[in-house]
Amino acid sequence: MTVLSMKRPVSAIPQTGRDARLAIRSGQFSGQTAGVAPGYVQGNLAILPGSLASDFLRFCQLNPKPCPLLAASSPGDFRLPTLADDLDIRTDLSRYRVFRRGEVVDEPSDVRGHWRDDLVTFALGCSFSFEEALAQADIRLTFRERNNVAAVYVTNIETAAAGPFRGPLIVTMRAFTPADAIRAVQITSRFPNVHGAPVHIGDPARIGVNLDRRYRNVGDGEVADDELPVFWACGLTPQLAVQNAKPPLCLTHAPSCMLITDLRNASLAVL
Amino acid sequence: MTVLSMKRPVSAIPQTGRDARLAIRSGQFSGQTAGVAPGYVQGNLAILPGSLASDFLRFCQLNPKPCPLLAASSPGDFRLPTLADDLDIRTDLSRYRVFRRGEVVDEPSDVRGHWRDDLVTFALGCSFSFEEALAQADIRLTFRERNNVAAVYVTNIETAAAGPFRGPLIVTMRAFTPADAIRAVQITSRFPNVHGAPVHIGDPARIGVNLDRRYRNVGDGEVADDELPVFWACGLTPQLAVQNAKPPLCLTHAPSCMLITDLRNASLAVL
């Protein structure tokens, strides 16, 4: 269908997690997942050899704000039944990255050819979920109005290391009026499984951030005169820690091509 | 007991709401109530003629953050049984202020002589309750370390008027590190009956505040280099609105001589 390579009409965008996975698995849908299956939890993916699994699990446990673990598989199991009954982690993302010793060696739309029976899958929460909650509360996300995503920065805060996994805390920045910043703290506090409350508010220099120097140039770093920058822990933190660890094999989602689950964002709220 | 006019040993400070009221009613205790009956809710008091009661109630309803209503009496009734079984609002505060047409005319320790059978009593929450919750969470209240209270400021934000009750929003300011500011938003959000979440964070000028110009010179306006000022709605807002209304009679608590209830601060948490 050539229409899929053009700007798709809304009717062509899968509206549930299951529809999205089926469309991706069958090759009918490819590309970025922002706006796909609205209301359903999307996640970051990291798949590692079993010998590194317990260190990575401990890294997540030590750094829960950047690494909110939604699910972990048994070694070799390509299913994550707590996230979706039918999920096959080898085929259900629109694009993957294959890392060997920290270098990208492939960007396939299917990782069955890379699968090993010792691989352990980790699904981590992502800020799409809390951004939906903010938008539903009429909190302005001005970067979205500019068709962009939240700006990403490397801080001078070190994560707690576990085995070979170590590195700086990476954060996303969203700018709000003071009243909306207070609401944003309240709302994101309800979602500890998708980064939760901010880690910093106000002066970027206090966490070693220069707003003009975004990580990989990602996102919109604009802060208006009447706004405060607010910083959340980011899922790129474990991704960089994995790259630093240089494992023999690591499979991840490609940027913006997230794992789509059957969980509803609202179901993640703890109160 | 002369000891009561000196710095009292802890053992002489009433430890429960009931003990505090009994000590005050019998004349054994007088003076400010900070540190008295720790853990028990203290409140602001406003007593008005019945003809003004519905306007004042509406003022509180329109401005819940500065005017969190804990209880309102029937006309002429000097009890507030939802706050304490035995409470007699005419005798159970250590000091009162009597206003006539907006002017202080008396500061008695008993208002039985001013009582009328149309008077309606309003008890409003106060920030002592959420400060206790902050301190219990190890959030530093640096003004306390300097033996002071939170700084008070008049903002350029107008309250919603009701009948003759109108005036600016008055706020208290507490300075925190960014991480503690985020925790303070979370913790005070649990206490909507005692002013709840902050109304502003960051640049004081955005709400018309100059940190060097405190209202009646009350409190500690110091903000360290690594701190952010955080602003909460203050119970002096309704007090100023009442003064502006110039009612024929109004009875209030004297500064820092609060109504002490049998409610526990922890019982006010909504989650």
Side-chain angles (χ1 to χ4, degrees):
Chain A
M1 286 174 70
T2 53
V3 69
L4 285 179
S5 61
M6 294 156 54
K7 191 166 165 57
R8 290 180 300 272
V10 170
S11 61
I13 297 177
Q15 294 296 302
T16 70
R18 185 181 179 85
D19 286 350
R21 288 192 308 279
L22 292 176
I24 289 168
R25 201 183 299 167
S26 65
Q28 288 181 282
F29 182 89
S30 61
Q32 304 197 347
T33 57
V36 174
Y40 288 85
V41 174
Q42 300 195 17
N44 296 287
L45 177 68
I47 301 176
L48 289 164
S51 58
L52 289 167
S54 75
D55 278 340
F56 188 71
L57 215 47
R58 198 157 49 90
F59 183 75
C60 293
Q61 198 275 325
L62 287 167
N63 302 284
K65 290 196 121 178
C67 314
L69 196 61
L70 292 175
S73 76
S74 306
D77 193 348
F78 43 79
R79 300 166 306 161
L80 290 170
T82 59
L83 302 186
D85 277 344
D86 67 313
L87 191 147
D88 183 331
I89 203 68
R90 306 168 304 173
T91 57
D92 287 4
L93 273 70
S94 55
R95 196 152 297 277
Y96 299 81
R97 276 190 167 169
V98 179
F99 293 82
R100 292 197 184 274
R101 307 239 163 255
E103 300 294 323
V104 180
V105 296
D106 197 5
E107 285 215 358
S109 60
D110 177 321
V111 289
R112 279 179 293 187
H114 295 280
W115 198 256
R116 300 181 352 190
D117 65 5
D118 72 324
L119 291 180
V120 176
T121 299
F122 300 91
L124 304 175
C126 113
S127 58
F128 283 4
S129 301
F130 77 63
E131 284 188 358
E132 182 187 77
L134 293 171
Q136 283 176 346
D138 283 338
I139 309 289
R140 273 185 76 187
L141 298 166
T142 50
F143 57 84
R144 284 193 180 180
E145 296 168 12
R146 296 185 287 265
N147 282 314
N148 209 334
V149 296
V152 179
Y153 300 97
V154 179
T155 71
N156 62 6
I157 302 166
E158 273 297 301
T159 58
F165 300 105
R166 64 187 63 237
L169 175 69
I170 299 180
V171 293
T172 50
M173 186 284 290
R174 295 165 185 81
F176 299 102
T177 61
D180 276 358
I182 291 164
R183 288 286 294 141
V185 171
Q186 294 178 313
I187 290 168
T188 59
S189 294
R190 302 176 65 218
F191 294 92
N193 280 331
V194 287
H195 304 308
V199 294
H200 184 64
I201 186 166
D203 186 4
R206 297 267 159 216
I207 56 171
V209 166
N210 173 338
L211 289 181
D212 294 331
R213 299 200 183 169
R214 284 161 297 154
Y215 178 61
R216 297 179 187 163
N217 221 25
V218 174
D220 179 326
E222 200 172 318
V223 180
D225 274 354
D226 63 344
E227 292 177 333
L228 275 172
V230 184
F231 299 86
W232 278 266
C234 173
L236 291 172
T237 308
Q239 197 169 308
L240 184 59
V242 167
Q243 280 178 251
N244 289 342
K246 298 189 180 10
L249 176 65
C250 175
L251 312 176
T252 73
H253 63 285
S256 305
C257 299
M258 314 303 284
L259 165 63
I260 304 177
T261 77
D262 282 353
L263 301 181
R264 302 296 295 257
N265 286 327
S267 75
L268 296 184
V270 293
L271 46 93
Chain B
M1 284 174 70
T2 53
V3 70
L4 286 178
S5 60
M6 293 156 55
K7 191 166 167 56
R8 290 182 300 272
V10 170
S11 60
I13 296 178
Q15 294 295 302
T16 70
R18 185 182 180 84
D19 285 350
R21 288 191 308 279
L22 292 176
I24 290 168
R25 201 183 299 166
S26 66
Q28 288 181 284
F29 182 88
S30 61
Q32 304 198 344
T33 57
V36 174
Y40 288 85
V41 174
Q42 301 196 16
N44 294 288
L45 178 68
I47 300 175
L48 289 164
S51 59
L52 289 167
S54 75
D55 278 340
F56 188 72
L57 216 46
R58 200 156 48 89
F59 183 76
C60 293
Q61 198 275 322
L62 287 167
N63 303 285
K65 288 196 124 180
C67 314
L69 196 61
L70 292 175
S73 76
S74 306
D77 193 349
F78 42 80
R79 300 166 307 159
L80 289 171
T82 59
L83 301 187
D85 277 343
D86 67 314
L87 191 146
D88 184 331
I89 204 67
R90 305 168 304 173
T91 56
D92 287 4
L93 275 69
S94 55
R95 195 152 300 276
Y96 298 81
R97 275 189 170 170
V98 179
F99 292 83
R100 293 196 184 273
R101 307 240 164 252
E103 300 295 323
V104 180
V105 296
D106 197 7
E107 285 213 359
S109 61
D110 178 320
V111 289
R112 280 178 293 187
H114 295 278
W115 198 255
R116 299 179 356 188
D117 66 6
D118 71 324
L119 291 180
V120 176
T121 299
F122 300 91
L124 304 175
C126 113
S127 57
F128 282 4
S129 300
F130 77 63
E131 284 188 356
E132 182 187 79
L134 293 171
Q136 284 176 345
D138 284 338
I139 308 289
R140 273 185 76 188
L141 298 166
T142 49
F143 57 86
R144 283 194 179 179
E145 295 168 13
R146 297 186 286 266
N147 282 315
N148 208 333
V149 296
V152 179
Y153 299 98
V154 178
T155 71
N156 62 5
I157 301 166
E158 272 299 300
T159 58
F165 301 105
R166 64 187 61 235
L169 175 69
I170 299 180
V171 293
T172 50
M173 187 283 290
R174 295 165 187 80
F176 300 102
T177 62
D180 276 359
I182 290 165
R183 288 286 295 141
V185 172
Q186 293 178 313
I187 290 167
T188 60
S189 293
R190 302 176 65 217
F191 293 92
N193 280 331
V194 286
H195 304 307
V199 294
H200 184 64
I201 185 165
D203 186 2
R206 298 266 159 215
I207 55 170
V209 165
N210 173 338
L211 289 180
D212 294 330
R213 298 200 184 170
R214 286 160 296 154
Y215 178 62
R216 297 179 188 163
N217 220 25
V218 174
D220 180 323
E222 199 172 317
V223 180
D225 274 353
D226 63 345
E227 292 178 331
L228 275 172
V230 184
F231 299 86
W232 278 266
C234 173
L236 291 173
T237 308
Q239 198 169 306
L240 183 58
V242 166
Q243 280 178 249
N244 289 342
K246 298 191 179 9
L249 177 65
C250 176
L251 312 175
T252 74
H253 63 285
S256 304
C257 298
M258 314 304 283
L259 164 63
I260 303 176
T261 76
D262 282 354
L263 302 181
R264 301 297 293 257
N265 286 326
S267 75
L268 295 184
V270 291
L271 48 92

